[in-house]
Every structure is written in structure tokens, then in C-alpha cells.
């Protein structure tokens, strides 16, 4: 497969000749070496995107949509190949990798359909003197920065709406997982996307290359998915040229189980909300608040399900939980669990990191977690479920909202009115009400508070790559 930079429709080595290694998280061994994009390469990619911008924006929306539709078909047809590549570089279990590919491909299909719906409006001014005509135009050249946890889906969630809206892009994938992004560049070229419309720039100097691009006046938007910490830096960088920003940042999702919940459904939902992607998801349930009257039974059932999961390399067909992506993440998860145990928590399963090789952490359930424990405040990003009990709905909502994050929250109750009332009170951009998964290309995904700005997916995701232009007209 191609491992160079993809700029202006060509595969080229880094201007410095540097390359970096991609490792298999199951063993730590090197699986590929990839060109390491420099600042000079980043600016060449911006130039290519800028050169392609006018003609792509002028391409009929129907034609842009048909290219995206072709990308959907190609990706679906090659789902197994993409899934294997994702498992190799990210470590995730085969079922997780396969469902990521289908989810990723759906963004191409959804935005193939949405491309023709960047609607405007016309109204008569209140004075009656003129008409107010509003048209939607592409923002222009976009820099897309993606994380390693969904190497395919986080890229398509940005590329598809950007292209549908008529923008051109430079994608900077995470250094842990650049191979999926490079395979996607090949696929998009095959789908007929013209040279320069999509450029892919792996780089280990992410801070320097992204900063250089954000200071290039040809760049009009940055869409970032990753940690809140890096998001804050990019918001500051974007301020210099007043670059449009979309930020999909970290989460600390609460999972509420009320006394009247269908417990079997709540445990099923908990397994998805916690274990989709081995816990390495911004939407992962990070804290379980369970009503005291059902906490014992919920804990018992969740413990049994977590303990039964098979840990192994993502490339083995029967693996249910793969290794974490790298040593830093594995050490962080281990540290958070140790800290909670030292403060009085009990592990009903898991809780001890196995010896290497590989960055494995076992599915773990913790009870009696101290309310002040770091594990309830920080994003765990691993297969650990801390459980805290509560007595009243008000207490549960107060616990849930006691965080600077606000991406997603989950609620289980048989009483729909109560569930909707609590959903409205929760400070989150998305709520799973009797559901353990909310991600859907047709829905607006995003957070409030320090979980982000803007929405991806749905019709809103398309509008985020457009500017409205108001034309005051007399006729
Ligand atoms: P990260 O460290 O913030 O990295 C994300 C991306 O930013 C990577 O491509 C990274 O490149 C790049 N980057 C790092 N430092 C940078 C800098 N100073 N300037 C510009 N770019 C920089 O996050 P991660 O560890 O990959 O991903 C996990 C985080 O993503 C979690 O917090 C998770 O919640 C969040 N996430 C959020 C969503 C959402 O939709 N809200 C979805 C998925 C993940 P390198 O890899 O080269 O460092």
C-alpha cells in the first residue's frame, strides 16, 4: 500500500526525506514506515487544495454527490480490507473494526444525499423595501485533524460533508494510525475525486504543521477531533487569522440507571456504551450512576458480562477486546484504576494490567468509588466501568453534570416522561435514552461545555462547511 504523502493527486515523499514507524499495539512491533510531512509539505498541500478549490466549488452538487456515492460503494465493498488495516494499526477487535468501516462509509452515503440540499432562503424585508436572499457557499480550504481511535470514521465524518459542500481539504491523521487515512486517499482518487480536492499529510510534527497551515491565509476552516487540551491550543492558533473552527473534543459520559430501568436492557446498553471500541471512544460511558435499589444486581450482571470478554490481538477473529493503542494510554488507564483502588474502590473483575508484550488492559468493574476519584473526572479511554450509587433523580443529575465535559449522557428508565425530563436537565450535546449508542451519520453529533463547538453528521454537519451569504436585493 501507499505510504507517502498524498498531495495534489500524487504520492510524494516528505521534503525532508524523513519517515516514521507505525506499530502494532498487540506486540509493539513495527508494521509500516510512513513519510513524515514537514511544514513545507503542509504548505504544498494547502496550495494544492487552494488550486483545486474554485473548480470543485463550481462542480454541480449532483456530481459531487455522485463521487461520494461511489466512495460509499467502494468502501463498503472493501470493508474487510479496511477493517483489517484498522485492527493492525489501532488494535481494535475485528467486530469493532468492521462496524467502524460501515459507520465510516455511511458518511459518504449520507453526504452524497445531502450534497444537493445546501438550501438557501428568500424573504421580504420587514420594511418592504427589498428582498433578503441567503445563499450557502463553501467555506473554502479546510484543515482536518483526526484522532487514532476511529481512524476511518473520524476522517469520513469530516471529508464527506466538506466535499459535499464544495470545500477542498488537507487531512492530518493521527501519527498512531496514518495507514487507514492513506488507504482512504487511494479510494477517493478511485472514486473520481479530482486531484488536490483531498490531500493527506501524515506528520509527527503535528503542532508545527497544523500551526503553519492555520497561519496560511488560504485556509478558512479547521475541523478538529481529539483531546480538549489540543482543541484549546488550536482555538488559540485559529484566532490569529480568524479561521472558522469545529471542535469535537473529549468526553466524560455519565450512564444513569434509574430504579425503574429495564435492568437487562441497561446492562446490554452499558456493554455497548462502555465497550464499543474497547472503551477508546469519546462517547464511552465513563461513570455509571446506579440507583441504590438496583446497584447490586446491575453490578453483578455487568461484572459477569465484562469478565467473559475475550482479550487478544485485534487481528484474531475471536478477539472481543483488543489492546489499547499505545503505552501512554495503557499506563494512564492503569494509573487511574490504581488510584481508585488505593482510595477504597473494589474491582469486581479486572483491575490489574497484564505483563507485556502489547498494551493490554482487562475489562474492569469498580465499585465503592470515592466521589472525588480522578477516574470520575478524567476521560478513562479504556475498558473500565466505575460504579457509584445514588438515591434521587436530582442527585443523579447533579453528579452527571459535575464535569467540564458535555458530550453525551445515557439514561435508562421505563418512564419516558421522566427520561425526557432528565434528558433536558443533563448538560450534554447528545443523550442516549434507553440506548447505549448515539452515533449516527444522519444525526448532529457534538458536545457542549468543553466537549466542543459545532456538529458533525446530519444536515447541520453540511452547514458547518458553508458560509451563508446574504444578498439585499431590490427587484
Ligand atoms: P489528541 O492527542 O488531541 O490528537 C488528536 C489529533 O491532533 C492527532 O492527529 C494529533 O496528532 C493532533 N495533534 C496533537 N497535538 C497537536 C497540536 N499541538 N497541534 C495540532 N495537532 C495536534 O487526541 P487523541 O489522543 O488522538 O484522541 C483521543 C481524544 O480524542 C479523546 O480525548 C477523545 O475524547 C477525543 N475524541 C473526540 C471525539 C468527538 O467526536 N468529540 C471523537 C473521537 C475522539 P499526533 O497523533 O501526531 O499527535
Amino acid at each position: 500500500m501507499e505510504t507517502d504523502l498524498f498531495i495534489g493527486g500524487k504520492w510524494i515523499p516528505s521534503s525532508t526525506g524523513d519517515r516514521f514507524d507505525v506499530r502494532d499495539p498487540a506486540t509493539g512491533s513495527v508494521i509500516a514506515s510512513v513519510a513524515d510531512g514537514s511544514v513545507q509539505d503542509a504548505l504544498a498541500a494547502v496550495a494544492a487544495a487552494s488550486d483545486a478549490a474554485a473548480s470543485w466549488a463550481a462542480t454541480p452538487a449532483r456530481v459531487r454527490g455522485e463521487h461520494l456515492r461511489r466512495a460509499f460503494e467502494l468502501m463498503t465493498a472493501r470493508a474487510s480490507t479496511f477493517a483489517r488495516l484498522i485492527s493492525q494499526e489501532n488494535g481494535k477487535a475485528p467486530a469493532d473494526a468492521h462496524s467502524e468501516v460501515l459507520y465510516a462509509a455511511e458518511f459518504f452515503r449520507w453526504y452524497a444525499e445531502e450534497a444537493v440540499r445546501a438550501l438557501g432562503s428568500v424573504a421580504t424585508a420587514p420594511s418592504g423595501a427589498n428582498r433578503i436572499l441567503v445563499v450557502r457557499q463553501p467555506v473554502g480550504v479546510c484543515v482536518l485533524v483526526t484522532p487514532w481511535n476511529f481512524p476511518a470514521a473520524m476522517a469520513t465524518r469530516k471529508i464527506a460533508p466538506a466535499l459535499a459542500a464544495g470545500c477542498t481539504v488537507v487531512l492530518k491523521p493521527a501519527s498512531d494510525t496514518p495507514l487507514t487515512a492513506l488507504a482512504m486517499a487511494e479510494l477517493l482518487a478511485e472514486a473520481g475525486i479530482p486531484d488536490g480536492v483531498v490531500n493527506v499529510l501524515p506528520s509527527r510534527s503535528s503542532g508545527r504543521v497544523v500551526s503553519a497551515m492555520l497561519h496560511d491565509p488560504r485556509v478558512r476552516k479547521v475541523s478538529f477531533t481529539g483531546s480538549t487540551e489540543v482543541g484549546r491550543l488550536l482555538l488559540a492558533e485559529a484566532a490569529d487569522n480568524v479561521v472558522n473552527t469545529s471542535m469535537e473534543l473529549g468526553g466524560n459520559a455519565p450512564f444513569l440507571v434509574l430504579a425503574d430501568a429495564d435492568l437487562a436492557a441497561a446492562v446490554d446498553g452499558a456493554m455497548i456504551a462502555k465497550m464499543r471500541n474497547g472503551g477508546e471512544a469519546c462517547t464511552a460511558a465513563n461513570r455509571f450512576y446506579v440507583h441504590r435499589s438496583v446497584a447490586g444486581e446491575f453490578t453483578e450482571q455487568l461484572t459477569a458480562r465484562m469478565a467473559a470478554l475475550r482479550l487478544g490481538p485485534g487481528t484474531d477473529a475471536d478477539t472481543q477486546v483488543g489492546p489499547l493503542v499505545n503505552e501512554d494510554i495503557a499506563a494512564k488507564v492503569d494509573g487511574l484504576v490504581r488510584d481508585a483502588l488505593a482510595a477504597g474502590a473494589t474491582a469486581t473483575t479486572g483491575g490489574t494490567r497484564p505483563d507485556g508484550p502489547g498494551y493490554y488492559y482487562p475489562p474492569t468493574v469498580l465499585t465503592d468509588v470515592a466521589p472525588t476519584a480522578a477516574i470520575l473526572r478524567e476521560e478513562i479511554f479504556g475498558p473500565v466501568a466505575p460504579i457509584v450509587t445514588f438515591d434521587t433523580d436530582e442527585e443523579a443529575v447533579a453528579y452527571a453534570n459535575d464535569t467540564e465535559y458535555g458530550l453525551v449522557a445515557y439514561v435508562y428508565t421505563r418512564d419516558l416522561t421522566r427520561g425526557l425530563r432528565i434528558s433536558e436537565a443533563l448538560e450534554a450535546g447528545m443523550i442516549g435514552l434507553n440506548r447505549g449508542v448515539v452515533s449516527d451519520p444522519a444525526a448532529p453529533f457534538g458536545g457542549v461545555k468543553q466537549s466542543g463547538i459545532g456538529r458533525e453528521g446530519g444536515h447541520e454537519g453540511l452547514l458547518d462547511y458553508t458560509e451563508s451569504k446574504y444578498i439585499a436585493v431590490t427587484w
Side-chain angles (χ1 to χ4, degrees), residues 183-198:
M184 191 118 50
E186 282 187 90
L187 178 143
L188 288 167
E190 207 179 320
I193 306 290
D195 294 351
V197 171
V198 175

Side-chain angles (χ1 to χ4, degrees), residues 145-150 154 157 172-176 203-204 206-207 210 224-228 230 233-234 248-251 282 379 381 407 445 451:
V145 184
T146 50
W148 47 261
N149 65 337
F150 288 94
M154 296 303 95
R157 199 166 78 173
K172 207 299 292 167
S175 303
D176 280 323
S203 173
R204 239 182 347 189
S206 35
V210 174
F224 172 74
T225 297
S227 60
T228 296
V230 174
L233 293 176
L234 294 189
E248 296 287 351
L249 308 179
C282 54
E379 198 173 23
F381 243 57
L407 189 62
F445 185 108
S451 285

